[in-house]
């Protein structure tokens, strides 16, 4: 039963990914110099996510709409899952890792992540 539920969730997630691909948001246009500055700023951001997670898809849509080249890290298995657990304290996605100087913040809620990105990089 548990395996069937997992397969159903994964299948549903893939359908949502496909729909997201069809109705992809338009990217925010910036001047070349403004985009270069944004690209530099997002180097300190990492998004830990699962590919087919609906909340992760919602967060990635905001990232795409704001034209932010944020590195995404698959936290389902392996090194990035271990980093998320060690750094943030739990394996919950999406999670935005924000590094500001020596301070690292782990932001877990998709609505908080999207609000932060809109406030910092939106127009």
């Amino acid at each position: 039963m548990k395996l069937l539920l997992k397969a159903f969730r994964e299948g549903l997630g893939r359908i949502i990914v496909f729909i997201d691909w069809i109705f992809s948001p338009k990217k925010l246009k910036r001047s070349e110099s403004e985009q270069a500055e944004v690209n530099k700023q997002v180097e300190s951001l990492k998004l830990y996510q699962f590919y087919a997670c609906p909340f992760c898809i919602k967060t990635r849509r905001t990232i795409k709409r704001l034209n932010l080249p944020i590195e995404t890290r698959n936290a389902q298995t392996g090194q990035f899952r271990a980093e998320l657990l060690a750094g943030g304290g739990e394996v919950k996605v999406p999670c935005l890792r924000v590094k500001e100087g020596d301070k690292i913040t782990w932001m877990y809620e998709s609505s908080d992540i999207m609000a932060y990105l809109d406030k910092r990089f939106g127009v």
Side-chain angles (χ1 to χ4, degrees), residues 20 23-25 56-65:
D20 174 54
F23 299 104
S24 187
C56 297
I57 293 168
K58 192 166 94 168
T59 303
R60 289 194 311 261
R61 286 181 65 83
T62 298
I63 289 169
K64 183 169 188 172
R65 177 179 50 79

Side-chain angles (χ1 to χ4, degrees), residues 8 11 17 19 23 35 48 60 69 74 79 101 104 110 116 123:
F8 176 73
V17 168
I19 292 168
F23 299 104
Q35 188 62 48
Y48 291 78
R60 289 194 311 261
N74 182 357
Q79 169 193 349
I104 296 176
S110 59
Y116 168 80
V123 189

Side-chain angles (χ1 to χ4, degrees), residues 20-87:
D20 174 54
W21 177 74
I22 292 172
F23 299 104
S24 187
K26 293 186 187 230
K27 290 183 178 182
L28 178 67
K29 301 286 185 193
R30 296 186 183 91
S31 71
E32 203 172 297
S33 61
E34 288 173 329
Q35 188 62 48
E37 177 59 30
V38 166
N39 293 353
K40 184 178 176 186
Q41 289 180 32
V42 300
E43 289 176 1
S44 64
L45 306 176
K46 309 293 184 232
L47 181 70
Y48 291 78
Q49 50 104 38
F50 297 166
Y51 179 72
C53 162
F55 296 103
C56 297
I57 293 168
K58 192 166 94 168
T59 303
R60 289 194 311 261
R61 286 181 65 83
T62 298
I63 289 169
K64 183 169 188 172
R65 177 179 50 79
L66 293 173
N67 198 8
L68 305 173
I70 294 175
E71 178 185 339
T72 58
R73 296 180 167 183
N74 182 357
Q76 282 192 285
T77 61
Q79 169 193 349
F80 296 134
R81 183 181 187 91
E83 283 178 14
L84 181 58
L85 181 60

